[in-house]
Coordinates of all heavy atoms in Angstrom, one line a residue:
P234 N 0.8 -1.2 0.0 CA 0.0 0.0 0.0 C 0.8 1.3 0.0 O 0.4 2.3 -0.5 CB -0.8 -0.1 1.3 CG -0.5 -1.4 1.9 CD 0.6 -2.0 1.1
Y235 N 2.1 1.2 0.5 CA 2.9 2.4 0.6 C 3.3 2.9 -0.8 O 3.3 4.2 -1.0 CB 4.1 2.2 1.4 CG 3.7 1.8 2.9 CD1 3.7 0.5 3.3 CD2 3.4 2.8 3.8 CE1 3.3 0.2 4.6 CE2 3.0 2.5 5.1 CZ 3.0 1.2 5.5 OH 2.6 0.9 6.7
Y236 N 3.6 2.0 -1.7 CA 4.0 2.5 -3.1 C 2.7 3.1 -3.8 O 2.9 4.0 -4.6 CB 4.6 1.4 -3.9 CG 3.7 0.4 -4.4 CD1 3.1 0.5 -5.7 CD2 3.4 -0.8 -3.7 CE1 2.2 -0.5 -6.1 CE2 2.5 -1.7 -4.1 CZ 1.9 -1.6 -5.4 OH 1.0 -2.5 -5.8
L237 N 1.5 2.6 -3.5 CA 0.3 3.2 -4.0 C 0.1 4.6 -3.5 O -0.3 5.5 -4.2 CB -0.9 2.3 -3.7 CG -0.9 0.9 -4.5 CD1 -2.0 0.1 -4.0 CD2 -0.9 1.1 -6.0
D238 N 0.4 4.8 -2.2 CA 0.3 6.2 -1.7 C 1.3 7.1 -2.4 O 1.0 8.2 -2.7 CB 0.6 6.2 -0.2 CG 0.8 7.6 0.3 OD1 -0.2 8.3 0.3 OD2 1.9 8.0 0.8
S239 N 2.5 6.6 -2.7 CA 3.5 7.4 -3.4 C 3.0 7.8 -4.8 O 3.1 8.9 -5.3 CB 4.8 6.7 -3.6 OG 5.4 6.5 -2.3
L240 N 2.3 6.8 -5.5 CA 1.8 7.1 -6.8 C 0.6 8.1 -6.7 O 0.5 9.0 -7.5 CB 1.3 5.8 -7.5 CG 2.3 4.9 -8.1 CD1 1.8 3.6 -8.5 CD2 3.0 5.6 -9.3
A241 N -0.2 7.9 -5.7 CA -1.3 8.8 -5.5 C -0.8 10.2 -5.3 O -1.4 11.2 -5.8 CB -2.2 8.4 -4.3
W242 N 0.3 10.4 -4.5 CA 0.8 11.7 -4.2 C 1.4 12.3 -5.5 O 1.3 13.5 -5.7 CB 1.8 11.6 -3.0 CG 2.1 13.0 -2.5 CD1 3.3 13.6 -2.5 CD2 1.2 13.9 -1.9 NE1 3.2 14.9 -1.9 CE2 1.9 15.1 -1.5 CE3 -0.2 13.8 -1.6 CZ2 1.2 16.1 -0.9 CZ3 -0.8 14.9 -1.0 CH2 -0.1 16.0 -0.6
L243 N 2.0 11.5 -6.3 CA 2.6 11.9 -7.5 C 1.5 12.5 -8.4 O 1.6 13.6 -9.0 CB 3.3 10.8 -8.3 CG 3.7 11.1 -9.7 CD1 4.9 12.1 -9.7 CD2 4.1 9.8 -10.4
Y244 N 0.4 11.8 -8.5 CA -0.8 12.4 -9.3 C -1.4 13.6 -8.7 O -1.8 14.5 -9.4 CB -1.8 11.3 -9.5 CG -1.4 10.3 -10.6 CD1 -0.9 9.1 -10.3 CD2 -1.5 10.7 -12.0 CE1 -0.5 8.2 -11.3 CE2 -1.0 9.9 -13.0 CZ -0.6 8.6 -12.7 OH -0.2 7.8 -13.7
F245 N -1.4 13.6 -7.3 CA -1.9 14.8 -6.6 C -1.0 16.0 -7.0 O -1.5 17.1 -7.3 CB -1.8 14.6 -5.1 CG -2.1 15.9 -4.3 CD1 -3.4 16.2 -4.0 CD2 -1.1 16.7 -3.9 CE1 -3.7 17.3 -3.3 CE2 -1.4 17.8 -3.2 CZ -2.7 18.2 -2.9
E246 N 0.3 15.8 -7.0 CA 1.3 16.9 -7.3 C 1.1 17.4 -8.8 O 1.3 18.5 -9.1 CB 2.7 16.5 -7.1 CG 3.0 16.3 -5.6 CD 3.2 17.6 -4.9 OE1 3.6 18.6 -5.4 OE2 2.7 17.6 -3.7
R247 N 0.6 16.5 -9.6 CA 0.4 16.8 -11.0 C -1.0 17.4 -11.2 O -1.5 17.6 -12.4 CB 0.6 15.6 -11.9 CG 2.0 15.1 -12.0 CD 2.1 13.9 -12.8 NE 3.5 13.5 -13.0 CZ 3.9 12.5 -13.7 NH1 3.0 11.7 -14.4 NH2 5.2 12.2 -13.8
K248 N -1.8 17.5 -10.1 CA -3.1 18.1 -10.1 C -4.1 17.1 -10.8 O -5.2 17.6 -11.3 CB -3.2 19.5 -10.7 CG -2.4 20.5 -9.9 CD -2.5 21.9 -10.3 CE -1.7 22.9 -9.6 NZ -1.1 22.6 -8.4
D249 N -3.8 15.9 -10.9 CA -4.7 14.9 -11.4 C -5.4 14.2 -10.2 O -5.0 13.1 -9.9 CB -4.0 13.9 -12.3 CG -4.9 12.9 -13.0 OD1 -6.1 12.8 -12.7 OD2 -4.4 12.1 -13.9
Y250 N -6.3 14.9 -9.6 CA -6.9 14.5 -8.3 C -7.7 13.2 -8.4 O -7.7 12.4 -7.5 CB -7.7 15.6 -7.7 CG -6.9 16.9 -7.6 CD1 -7.3 18.0 -8.1 CD2 -5.6 16.9 -6.9 CE1 -6.6 19.2 -8.0 CE2 -4.9 18.0 -6.8 CZ -5.4 19.2 -7.3 OH -4.6 20.3 -7.2
L251 N -8.4 13.0 -9.5 CA -9.2 11.8 -9.6 C -8.4 10.5 -9.7 O -8.7 9.5 -9.1 CB -10.2 11.9 -10.8 CG -11.3 12.9 -10.6 CD1 -12.2 13.0 -11.8 CD2 -12.2 12.5 -9.4
T252 N -7.3 10.6 -10.5 CA -6.4 9.5 -10.6 C -5.7 9.3 -9.2 O -5.5 8.1 -8.8 CB -5.3 9.7 -11.7 OG1 -6.0 9.9 -12.9 CG2 -4.4 8.5 -11.8
A253 N -5.3 10.3 -8.6 CA -4.7 10.2 -7.2 C -5.7 9.5 -6.3 O -5.2 8.6 -5.5 CB -4.4 11.6 -6.7
L254 N -6.9 9.8 -6.3 CA -7.9 9.2 -5.5 C -8.0 7.7 -5.8 O -8.1 6.8 -4.9 CB -9.3 9.8 -5.6 CG -10.3 9.4 -4.6 CD1 -9.9 9.7 -3.2 CD2 -11.6 10.1 -4.9
Q255 N -7.9 7.3 -7.0 CA -7.9 5.9 -7.4 C -6.8 5.1 -6.8 O -6.9 4.0 -6.2 CB -7.9 5.7 -8.9 CG -9.2 6.2 -9.6 CD -9.1 6.1 -11.1 OE1 -8.0 6.1 -11.7 NE2 -10.3 6.2 -11.7
Y256 N -5.6 5.7 -6.9 CA -4.4 5.1 -6.3 C -4.4 5.1 -4.8 O -3.8 4.2 -4.1 CB -3.1 5.7 -6.8 CG -2.7 5.2 -8.1 CD1 -2.9 6.0 -9.3 CD2 -2.1 4.0 -8.3 CE1 -2.6 5.6 -10.5 CE2 -1.8 3.5 -9.6 CZ -2.0 4.3 -10.7 OH -1.7 3.8 -11.9
A257 N -5.2 6.0 -4.2 CA -5.3 6.1 -2.7 C -6.3 5.1 -2.1 O -6.3 4.9 -0.9 CB -5.6 7.5 -2.3
D258 N -7.0 4.4 -3.0 CA -8.1 3.5 -2.5 C -7.6 2.5 -1.5 O -8.1 2.3 -0.4 CB -8.8 2.9 -3.6 CG -10.0 2.0 -3.2 OD1 -10.8 2.5 -2.4 OD2 -9.9 0.8 -3.5
I259 N -6.6 1.7 -1.9 CA -6.1 0.6 -1.1 C -5.4 1.2 0.2 O -5.7 0.7 1.3 CB -5.2 -0.3 -1.9 CG1 -6.0 -1.1 -2.9 CG2 -4.4 -1.3 -1.0 CD1 -5.3 -2.0 -3.8
P260 N -4.5 2.1 0.1 CA -3.9 2.7 1.3 C -5.0 3.2 2.3 O -4.8 3.2 3.5 CB -3.0 3.8 0.8 CG -2.7 3.4 -0.6 CD -3.9 2.7 -1.1
S261 N -6.1 3.7 1.7 CA -7.1 4.3 2.6 C -7.8 3.2 3.5 O -8.4 3.6 4.5 CB -8.2 5.0 1.8 OG -9.0 4.1 1.1
R262 N -7.6 2.0 3.1 CA -8.2 0.9 3.9 C -7.3 0.3 5.0 O -7.7 -0.6 5.7 CB -8.6 -0.2 2.9 CG -9.6 0.2 1.9 CD -10.0 -1.0 1.0 NE -10.4 -0.6 -0.3 CZ -10.7 -1.4 -1.3 NH1 -10.6 -2.7 -1.1 NH2 -11.1 -0.9 -2.4
L263 N -6.2 0.8 5.1 CA -5.2 0.4 6.2 C -5.9 0.5 7.5 O -6.5 1.6 7.8 CB -3.9 1.1 6.1 CG -3.0 0.8 5.0 CD1 -1.8 1.8 5.0 CD2 -2.5 -0.6 5.1
E264 N -5.8 -0.5 8.3 CA -6.3 -0.5 9.7 C -5.6 0.5 10.5 O -6.2 1.3 11.2 CB -6.3 -1.9 10.3 CG -7.3 -2.1 11.4 CD -7.4 -3.5 11.8 OE1 -7.7 -4.3 10.9 OE2 -7.2 -3.8 13.0
Q265 N -4.3 0.5 10.5 CA -3.5 1.5 11.3 C -2.8 2.4 10.2 O -1.7 2.2 9.8 CB -2.4 0.8 12.1 CG -3.0 -0.1 13.2 CD -3.4 0.7 14.4 OE1 -3.8 1.9 14.3 NE2 -3.3 0.1 15.5
I266 N -3.6 3.4 9.8 CA -3.1 4.3 8.7 C -2.0 5.2 9.3 O -2.2 5.9 10.2 CB -4.2 5.0 8.0 CG1 -3.8 5.6 6.7 CG2 -4.9 6.0 9.0 CD1 -4.9 6.0 5.8
P267 N -0.8 5.2 8.6 CA 0.2 6.2 9.1 C -0.2 7.6 8.8 O -1.0 7.9 7.9 CB 1.4 5.8 8.2 CG 1.1 4.4 7.7 CD -0.3 4.3 7.6
A268 N 0.3 8.5 9.6 CA -0.1 10.0 9.5 C 0.2 10.5 8.1 O -0.7 11.3 7.6 CB 0.6 10.8 10.6
E269 N 1.3 10.2 7.5 CA 1.6 10.7 6.2 C 0.6 10.3 5.2 O 0.1 11.1 4.3 CB 3.0 10.2 5.8 CG 3.4 10.8 4.4 CD 4.8 10.4 4.0 OE1 5.5 9.6 4.8 OE2 5.3 10.9 3.0
I270 N 0.2 9.0 5.2 CA -0.8 8.5 4.2 C -2.1 9.1 4.5 O -2.8 9.6 3.5 CB -0.9 7.0 4.2 CG1 0.5 6.4 3.7 CG2 -2.0 6.5 3.4 CD1 0.6 4.9 3.7
A271 N -2.5 9.3 5.7 CA -3.8 9.9 6.1 C -3.8 11.3 5.6 O -4.8 11.8 5.0 CB -4.0 9.8 7.6
Y272 N -2.7 12.0 5.8 CA -2.6 13.4 5.3 C -2.7 13.5 3.8 O -3.4 14.3 3.2 CB -1.2 14.0 5.7 CG -0.9 15.3 5.2 CD1 -1.5 16.5 5.7 CD2 0.0 15.5 4.1 CE1 -1.3 17.8 5.2 CE2 0.2 16.7 3.6 CZ -0.4 17.9 4.1 OH -0.1 19.1 3.6
H273 N -2.0 12.6 3.1 CA -2.1 12.6 1.6 C -3.5 12.4 1.1 O -4.0 13.1 0.3 CB -1.2 11.5 1.0 CG 0.2 11.8 1.1 ND1 1.2 10.9 0.9 CD2 0.9 13.0 1.5 CE1 2.4 11.4 1.0 NE2 2.3 12.7 1.4
I274 N -4.2 11.4 1.7 CA -5.6 11.1 1.3 C -6.5 12.3 1.6 O -7.3 12.7 0.8 CB -6.1 9.8 1.9 CG1 -5.2 8.6 1.4 CG2 -7.6 9.6 1.7 CD1 -5.4 7.3 2.2
A275 N -6.3 12.9 2.8 CA -7.2 14.0 3.1 C -6.9 15.2 2.1 O -7.9 15.8 1.7 CB -6.8 14.5 4.5
R276 N -5.7 15.4 1.8 CA -5.4 16.5 0.8 C -6.0 16.3 -0.5 O -6.5 17.2 -1.2 CB -3.9 16.7 0.7 CG -3.2 17.3 1.9 CD -3.5 18.8 2.0 NE -3.2 19.6 0.8 CZ -2.1 20.0 0.4 NH1 -1.0 19.9 1.1 NH2 -2.0 20.7 -0.7
I277 N -6.1 15.0 -0.9 CA -6.7 14.7 -2.2 C -8.2 15.0 -2.1 O -8.8 15.6 -3.0 CB -6.5 13.2 -2.6 CG1 -5.0 12.9 -2.9 CG2 -7.3 12.8 -3.8 CD1 -4.6 11.5 -2.9
Y278 N -8.9 14.6 -1.1 CA -10.3 14.9 -0.9 C -10.5 16.4 -0.8 O -11.5 16.9 -1.4 CB -10.9 14.2 0.3 CG -11.2 12.7 0.1 CD1 -10.6 11.7 0.9 CD2 -12.2 12.4 -0.8 CE1 -11.0 10.4 0.7 CE2 -12.5 11.1 -1.0 CZ -11.9 10.1 -0.3 OH -12.3 8.8 -0.5
I279 N -9.7 17.1 -0.2 CA -9.8 18.5 -0.1 C -9.7 19.2 -1.4 O -10.5 20.1 -1.8 CB -8.8 19.1 0.9 CG1 -9.2 18.7 2.4 CG2 -8.7 20.7 0.8 CD1 -8.1 18.9 3.4
A280 N -8.7 18.7 -2.2 CA -8.5 19.2 -3.6 C -9.8 19.0 -4.5 O -10.0 19.8 -5.4 CB -7.3 18.6 -4.2
L281 N -10.5 17.9 -4.1 CA -11.7 17.6 -4.9 C -13.0 18.3 -4.3 O -14.1 17.9 -4.7 CB -11.9 16.1 -4.9 CG -10.9 15.3 -5.8 CD1 -11.0 13.8 -5.5 CD2 -11.1 15.6 -7.3
D282 N -12.8 19.1 -3.3 CA -13.9 19.8 -2.6 C -14.8 18.8 -1.9 O -16.0 19.0 -1.7 CB -14.7 20.7 -3.5 CG -13.9 21.9 -4.0 OD1 -13.0 22.4 -3.3 OD2 -14.1 22.3 -5.2
R283 N -14.2 17.7 -1.4 CA -15.0 16.6 -0.7 C -14.5 16.7 0.8 O -13.9 15.7 1.3 CB -14.8 15.3 -1.4 CG -15.4 15.3 -2.8 CD -15.0 14.1 -3.6 NE -15.3 12.9 -3.1 CZ -15.1 11.7 -3.8 NH1 -14.6 11.7 -5.0 NH2 -15.4 10.6 -3.2
Y284 N -14.8 17.8 1.4 CA -14.3 18.0 2.7 C -14.7 17.0 3.8 O -13.9 16.6 4.6 CB -14.6 19.5 3.2 CG -14.2 20.5 2.2 CD1 -15.1 21.2 1.4 CD2 -12.8 20.7 1.9 CE1 -14.7 22.1 0.5 CE2 -12.4 21.7 1.0 CZ -13.4 22.4 0.3 OH -13.0 23.3 -0.6
K285 N -16.0 16.6 3.7 CA -16.5 15.7 4.7 C -15.8 14.4 4.7 O -15.6 13.7 5.7 CB -18.0 15.5 4.6 CG -18.8 16.7 5.0 CD -20.3 16.4 4.9 CE -21.1 17.6 5.3 NZ -22.5 17.4 5.1
E286 N -15.3 14.0 3.5 CA -14.6 12.7 3.3 C -13.2 12.8 3.8 O -12.5 11.9 4.1 CB -14.7 12.2 1.9 CG -16.1 11.8 1.5 CD -16.2 11.6 0.0 OE1 -16.5 12.6 -0.7 OE2 -16.1 10.5 -0.5
A287 N -12.7 14.1 3.8 CA -11.3 14.3 4.3 C -11.2 14.2 5.8 O -10.2 13.8 6.3 CB -10.8 15.7 3.8
V288 N -12.2 14.6 6.5 CA -12.2 14.7 8.0 C -11.8 13.4 8.7 O -10.9 13.4 9.5 CB -13.5 15.3 8.5 CG1 -13.6 15.1 10.0 CG2 -13.6 16.7 8.1
P289 N -12.3 12.2 8.3 CA -11.9 11.0 9.0 C -10.4 10.7 8.8 O -9.8 10.2 9.8 CB -12.8 9.9 8.4 CG -13.9 10.6 7.8 CD -13.5 12.0 7.4
F290 N -9.9 11.1 7.7 CA -8.4 10.8 7.5 C -7.6 11.9 8.3 O -6.6 11.5 8.8 CB -8.1 10.9 6.0 CG -8.7 9.7 5.3 CD1 -9.9 9.8 4.5 CD2 -8.1 8.5 5.4 CE1 -10.4 8.7 3.9 CE2 -8.6 7.3 4.7 CZ -9.8 7.5 4.0
L291 N -8.1 13.1 8.4 CA -7.4 14.1 9.2 C -7.4 13.6 10.7 O -6.4 13.8 11.4 CB -8.1 15.4 9.0 CG -7.9 16.1 7.7 CD1 -8.7 17.4 7.6 CD2 -6.4 16.3 7.4
K292 N -8.6 13.1 11.1 CA -8.6 12.6 12.5 C -7.7 11.5 12.7 O -7.0 11.4 13.8 CB -10.1 12.2 12.8 CG -11.0 13.4 13.0 CD -12.4 13.0 13.3 CE -13.3 14.1 13.5 NZ -14.7 13.7 13.9
A293 N -7.6 10.5 11.8 CA -6.7 9.4 11.9 C -5.3 9.8 11.9 O -4.5 9.4 12.7 CB -7.0 8.4 10.8
G294 N -4.9 10.7 11.1 CA -3.6 11.3 11.0 C -3.2 12.0 12.3 O -2.1 11.9 12.8
A295 N -4.2 12.8 12.8 CA -3.9 13.6 14.0 C -3.7 12.7 15.2 O -3.0 13.1 16.2 CB -5.1 14.6 14.2
A296 N -4.3 11.5 15.2 CA -4.3 10.6 16.3 C -3.1 9.6 16.2 O -2.8 8.9 17.1 CB -5.6 9.8 16.4
A297 N -2.4 9.6 15.0 CA -1.3 8.7 14.8 C -0.1 9.1 15.7 O 0.0 10.2 16.1 CB -0.9 8.6 13.3
D298 N 0.8 8.1 15.9 CA 1.9 8.4 16.7 C 3.2 8.1 16.0 O 4.2 7.8 16.6 CB 1.9 7.7 18.1 CG 1.9 6.2 17.9 OD1 1.9 5.7 16.8 OD2 1.8 5.5 19.0
D299 N 3.2 8.1 14.7 CA 4.4 7.7 13.9 C 5.2 8.8 13.3 O 6.4 8.6 13.1 CB 3.9 6.7 12.8 CG 3.0 7.3 11.8 OD1 2.3 8.3 12.2 OD2 2.9 6.8 10.7
D300 N 4.6 9.9 13.0 CA 5.4 11.0 12.3 C 4.9 12.3 12.8 O 3.9 12.8 12.3 CB 5.2 10.8 10.8 CG 6.1 11.8 10.0 OD1 6.3 12.9 10.5 OD2 6.6 11.4 8.9
P301 N 5.7 13.0 13.7 CA 5.2 14.2 14.3 C 4.9 15.3 13.3 O 4.0 16.1 13.5 CB 6.4 14.6 15.2 CG 7.1 13.4 15.4 CD 6.9 12.5 14.2
H302 N 5.6 15.4 12.2 CA 5.4 16.4 11.2 C 4.0 16.2 10.6 O 3.2 17.2 10.5 CB 6.4 16.3 10.1 CG 6.1 17.2 8.9 ND1 6.3 18.6 8.9 CD2 5.6 16.9 7.7 CE1 5.9 19.1 7.8 NE2 5.5 18.1 7.0
Y303 N 3.7 15.0 10.1 CA 2.4 14.8 9.5 C 1.2 14.8 10.5 O 0.1 15.2 10.2 CB 2.4 13.5 8.6 CG 3.1 13.8 7.4 CD1 4.4 13.3 7.2 CD2 2.6 14.5 6.3 CE1 5.1 13.5 6.0 CE2 3.2 14.8 5.2 CZ 4.5 14.3 5.0 OH 5.2 14.6 3.8
V304 N 1.5 14.4 11.7 CA 0.5 14.5 12.8 C 0.1 16.0 13.0 O -1.1 16.3 13.0 CB 1.0 13.9 14.1 CG1 0.1 14.3 15.3 CG2 1.1 12.4 14.0
K305 N 1.1 16.8 13.0 CA 0.8 18.3 13.2 C 0.1 18.8 12.0 O -0.8 19.6 12.1 CB 2.2 19.0 13.4 CG 2.0 20.5 13.5 CD 1.8 20.9 14.9 CE 1.9 22.4 15.0 NZ 0.9 23.0 15.8
E306 N 0.5 18.4 10.8 CA -0.2 18.9 9.5 C -1.7 18.5 9.6 O -2.6 19.3 9.2 CB 0.5 18.3 8.3 CG 1.9 18.8 8.0 CD 1.9 20.3 7.6 OE1 0.9 20.7 7.0 OE2 2.8 21.0 7.9
C307 N -2.0 17.2 10.0 CA -3.3 16.8 10.1 C -4.1 17.6 11.1 O -5.3 17.9 10.9 CB -3.4 15.3 10.4 SG -2.9 14.2 9.0
Q308 N -3.5 17.8 12.3 CA -4.2 18.6 13.3 C -4.5 20.0 12.8 O -5.6 20.5 13.1 CB -3.3 18.7 14.5 CG -3.1 17.4 15.3 CD -2.0 17.4 16.3 OE1 -1.2 18.2 16.4 NE2 -2.1 16.4 17.2
T309 N -3.6 20.6 12.1 CA -3.8 22.0 11.6 C -5.0 22.0 10.6 O -5.8 22.9 10.7 CB -2.5 22.5 10.9 OG1 -1.5 22.5 11.9 CG2 -2.7 23.9 10.4
L310 N -5.0 21.1 9.6 CA -6.0 21.0 8.7 C -7.4 20.7 9.3 O -8.4 21.2 8.9 CB -5.7 20.0 7.6 CG -4.8 20.5 6.5 CD1 -4.5 19.4 5.5 CD2 -5.3 21.7 5.7
L311 N -7.3 19.8 10.3 CA -8.5 19.4 11.0 C -9.2 20.6 11.6 O -10.5 20.7 11.6 CB -8.2 18.3 12.0 CG -9.4 17.6 12.7 CD1 -10.3 17.0 11.7 CD2 -8.9 16.6 13.7
Q312 N -8.5 21.5 12.2 CA -9.0 22.7 12.8 C -9.8 23.5 11.7 O -10.7 24.2 12.1 CB -8.0 23.5 13.5 CG -7.4 22.9 14.7 CD -6.2 23.7 15.3 OE1 -5.8 24.6 14.7 NE2 -5.8 23.3 16.5
Q313 N -9.3 23.5 10.5 CA -9.9 24.3 9.5 C -11.3 23.7 9.0 O -12.1 24.4 8.5 CB -9.0 24.4 8.3 CG -7.8 25.2 8.5 CD -6.8 25.2 7.3 OE1 -7.3 25.0 6.2 NE2 -5.6 25.4 7.6
F314 N -11.4 22.4 9.1 CA -12.5 21.7 8.5 C -13.5 21.1 9.5 O -14.4 20.4 9.1 CB -12.1 20.6 7.5 CG -11.4 21.2 6.3 CD1 -10.0 21.2 6.2 CD2 -12.1 21.9 5.3 CE1 -9.3 21.8 5.1 CE2 -11.4 22.5 4.3 CZ -10.1 22.4 4.2
T315 N -13.3 21.4 10.8 CA -14.3 21.0 11.8 C -14.7 22.2 12.6 O -13.9 23.0 12.9 CB -13.7 19.9 12.7 OG1 -12.5 20.3 13.3 CG2 -13.5 18.6 11.9
P316 N -15.9 22.2 13.0 CA -16.4 23.3 13.8 C -15.8 23.3 15.2 O -15.4 22.4 15.8 CB -17.9 23.2 13.9 CG -18.2 21.8 13.3 CD -17.0 21.3 12.7

């Protein structure tokens, strides 16, 4: 699933958000999703104006304990998209 996240992020960077979302499908199903992957998926949903679908990934990334940088990024975005 990690290489699929890398492909999803590559398409995100190229602004091909629908293809990015397709590649993010399998990583999005990880039971213990790493903060970086959660952040990437959330950003893809945000780019597609699908904010409600981004929130669960932002919450998962904010609660992760594996990468302080991406945990912080998820927490920051979560504040913007939740009341």
Side-chain angles (χ1 to χ4, degrees):
Y235 297 98
Y236 74 92
L237 292 173
D238 171 63
S239 296
L240 284 171
W242 196 244
L243 172 71
Y244 282 103
F245 174 86
E246 291 289 323
R247 293 181 175 180
K248 299 185 183 342
D249 186 350
Y250 305 125
L251 290 175
T252 302
L254 188 59
Q255 290 174 343
Y256 279 103
D258 181 56
I259 290 174
S261 73
R262 298 182 207 176
L263 289 171
E264 202 167 304
Q265 296 281 29
I266 192 164
E269 182 177 5
I270 292 176
Y272 173 78
H273 288 169
I274 295 168
R276 288 286 310 276
I277 293 166
Y278 278 121
I279 291 166
L281 291 167
D282 295 326
R283 294 167 61 176
Y284 306 112
K285 287 183 181 178
E286 292 168 273
V288 169
F290 291 101
L291 292 173
K292 287 181 178 179
D298 63 358
D299 61 335
D300 186 324
H302 171 75
Y303 285 104
V304 168
K305 178 87 170 138
E306 292 290 329
C307 287
Q308 291 169 344
T309 301
L310 281 176
L311 188 58
Q312 290 175 352
Q313 294 176 23
F314 295 104
T315 54

